[in-house]
Amino acid sequence: QVRRLLSARAAAVTSAAEALVAARAVVATALVRDRSVLAAQRTRPPALAGLWELPGGRVEEGESDADAVVRECREELGTEVVVDGRLATDLRIDAGVLRVHTAHLADGGPEPRALEHSGLRWVTAAEVPGVDWVPADRAVVADLVDLLRP
Ligand code: 523
């Protein structure tokens, strides 16, 4: 009986730890230039294809959030970014929680290109609420509007 209880408890701790790891696993980037933020159009999965997101992805083992943001922006946009802050609201996704970091283009860095998305657009505070965001990213519309306002 005691052994069964202990092993149930160990399983609960393990799954809580796994949930925490999963919850740390995804970052998104609010890349800001000239009072606009970069929105990127997803190509996958089918449920999200055509919708717009803040670019990002899974954090790899041993990476910090900021490392992951820089790497994802290189891979997806072919550009160099500098992380300069974080939005207060986390996004809820199936895998757990996605944290949104704010960033700007590195001086003299290449212009972002849609290497893994079907399109890119710079959106102003006035345009942010009207963008067809993926469901999770809708949660930061108000934060983005605040971020972009003078
Ligand atoms: N989101 C999301 N919004 C958002 C990002 C960057 C990601 O809702 N701004 C979701 C979409 C996926 C999950 O987070 O369900 C992982 O994002 P993804 O697919 O862009 O990350 P990848 O490409 O690093 O991960 P794999 O799909 O495993 O390749």
Side-chain angles (χ1 to χ4, degrees), residues 6 8 15 28 33-34 37 42 48-49 59 66 68 75-76 80 103 109 111 122-125 127 136 139 143 149:
L6 279 178
S15 69
R33 178 170 71 185
D34 300 336
V37 68
R42 283 193 70 107
L48 299 181
V59 179
E75 290 174 3
E76 297 183 351
E80 291 298 318
E111 185 67 16
W122 291 98
V123 291
T124 63
E127 292 164 338
D143 291 23
R149 276 217 181 100

Side-chain angles (χ1 to χ4, degrees), residues 87-129:
L87 297 187
T89 310
D90 291 332
L91 310 184
R92 302 217 142 262
I93 56 169
D94 289 346
V97 174
L98 188 158
R99 287 187 296 273
V100 185
H101 295 266
T102 62
H104 58 269
L105 291 172
D107 273 350
E111 185 67 16
R113 289 177 296 144
L115 301 178
E116 295 183 3
H117 290 91
S118 43
L120 299 180
R121 61 184 277 220
W122 291 98
V123 291
T124 63
E127 292 164 338
V128 162

